[in-house]
Amino acid sequence: MPTLERALSISLKNILLATDFSEGSEVALKCAQAIGHRYSSRIHTIHVSGPDSYQLLNPDAFAFTFDGPVGVTTDLTGVLQGLLRGLPSQAPLEQGAVWKVISDVARRNEIDLLVLASHGRQGIPRLVLGSVAEDVFRNVSCPVLTVGPDVKSCNARDLKLKKVLLATHFEPNSAAPLYAARLCSEFRAELTVLHVSDERQRNRKIKTPSEVKAQLHSVIKDELEMWRQPTFMLEYGLPSAKILQVAHELRPDMIVLGARHPEPATINSHLPWATAAKIIAEAECPVLTVRQGGDDANY
């Protein structure tokens, strides 16, 4: 059975956990712990109190605290809150929006993954750090793992992925399909590839599951060998509703999305950020948004 070459494995040397200690922060913290344990990552922790100051916990302090006996406490966020509150506030290099502070910290610390919590269920969610949170996952270039309010648990010591749902539009420069494929190969997880097309396209240009399969292989590198053939699904309708419906039926352990904020938005464009935000807010599992740098970033 073909396996993924080690050189193609995901590398997560540095993780940034952004927290405001709101509802859902506990699960986000445990997710960061689990991923860090799996990939031997250094976990940086940031709490932004405003656009002009923040507290940043050294990853060595995080490891010392949460890899020890305190790691089994029932009040992990309380411990983390105490650690961060004991740190002096730092001023950003350039004052600006909160997302710029996080983006700058992520860039300077070579962050490979940002983890944050969502506590909004309606409309565009108010994620961690309030109304500016959408700007965070829209503008930070590294992959972002968001833990919504309906994500109930995460084992801080054992990250398990049995099912992954990839929602994609198959753009050539998208990193999401490749990222999802690598995750599934590393965890021996089942990959379901979902493409949602506008209802008005049903009778104009019929896309079959075999076409969806061909498009997937066009964006996943030839040298990447999947350990198990993915399942391909084609749905018509509102992307956010269909993705959430399929996720509810399949019960994946993670949803992988590619999204950008197209100007102007078109029927066949990438998932707009408002759509991604709705999925993130209502999903029952963590949602990973993967994008590439530049104005053409997607997924």
Side-chain angles (χ1 to χ4, degrees):
M1 187 176 295
T3 58
L4 187 65
E5 294 296 331
R6 187 65 182 173
L8 292 175
S9 297
I10 294 172
S11 176
L12 299 177
K13 295 181 180 179
N14 292 291
I15 295 173
L16 178 61
L17 171 65
T19 182
D20 66 350
F21 307 108
S22 61
E23 182 182 358
S25 295
E26 183 87 9
V27 181
L29 189 157
K30 289 182 178 180
C31 283
Q33 279 186 280
I35 297 170
H37 187 260
R38 166 80 185 197
Y39 290 96
S40 299
S41 312
R42 290 169 58 83
I43 302 178
H44 309 248
T45 310
I46 187 172
H47 173 251
V48 183
S49 54
D52 56 355
S53 66
Y54 65 92
Q55 288 80 39
L56 185 66
L57 182 65
N58 184 284
D60 293 332
F62 185 99
F64 178 81
T65 302
F66 291 99
D67 288 345
V70 75
V72 298
T73 181
T74 57
D75 186 21
L76 294 177
T77 53
V79 173
L80 183 60
Q81 189 171 13
L83 289 172
L84 285 166
R85 282 184 174 174
L87 296 176
S89 297
Q90 301 182 42
L93 295 178
E94 295 182 9
Q95 292 189 4
V98 171
W99 72 263
K100 291 183 179 180
V101 176
I102 295 179
S103 181
D104 178 64
V105 170
R107 178 184 56 79
R108 288 191 285 116
N109 289 279
E110 299 181 336
I111 298 300
D112 301 300
L113 177 70
L114 172 65
V115 179
L116 48 78
S118 162
H119 49 80
R121 288 186 174 86
Q122 301 296 327
I124 298 177
R126 302 288 185 176
L127 304 184
V128 60
L129 307 174
S131 62
V132 299
E134 188 188 358
D135 285 332
V136 173
F137 69 86
R138 277 181 58 176
N139 292 287
V140 175
S141 60
C142 68
V144 179
L145 184 71
T146 310
V147 180
D150 293 325
V151 180
K152 301 303 181 185
S153 64
C154 179
N155 189 325
R157 293 291 181 181
D158 189 13
L159 179 64
K160 292 183 178 179
L161 295 180
K162 295 181 179 180
K163 295 181 180 180
V164 174
L165 174 62
L166 166 68
T168 178
H169 280 286
F170 302 112
E171 289 296 326
N173 62 340
S174 174
L178 185 59
Y179 211 100
R182 290 176 177 177
L183 279 173
C184 288
S185 291
E186 289 190 13
F187 285 88
R188 299 294 187 266
E190 299 176 13
L191 175 62
T192 298
V193 182
L194 172 64
H195 175 75
V196 181
S197 185
D198 188 270
E199 184 68 33
R200 289 171 290 183
Q201 303 299 309
R202 184 190 293 269
N203 297 322
R204 295 181 184 178
K205 184 179 180 181
I206 298 177
K207 189 183 295 293
T208 65
S210 61
E211 288 179 300
V212 174
K213 180 178 179 179
Q215 284 187 289
L216 174 69
H217 289 297
S218 73
V219 295
I220 292 181
K221 307 302 182 185
D222 294 337
E223 66 270 19
L224 179 61
E225 293 183 330
M226 293 289 293
W227 83 280
R228 178 174 181 172
Q229 286 299 310
T231 298
F232 302 92
M233 298 183 64
L234 173 64
E235 296 286 344
Y236 290 92
L238 183 66
S240 59
K242 285 296 181 181
I243 293 170
L244 288 169
Q245 176 186 329
V246 171
H248 182 73
E249 294 170 354
L250 293 179
R251 300 292 181 181
D253 301 295
M254 183 178 293
I255 298 173
V256 180
L257 294 179
R260 69 176 182 182
H261 190 62
E263 296 294 345
T266 60
I267 292 175
N268 293 318
S269 67
H270 297 123
L271 294 176
W273 285 109
T275 299
K278 182 174 178 60
I279 295 168
I280 286 169
E282 299 184 23
E284 298 175 343
C285 65
V287 177
L288 180 70
T289 52
V290 185
R291 51 166 288 172
Q292 293 172 295
D295 293 338
D296 294 329
N298 62 88
Y299 284 147

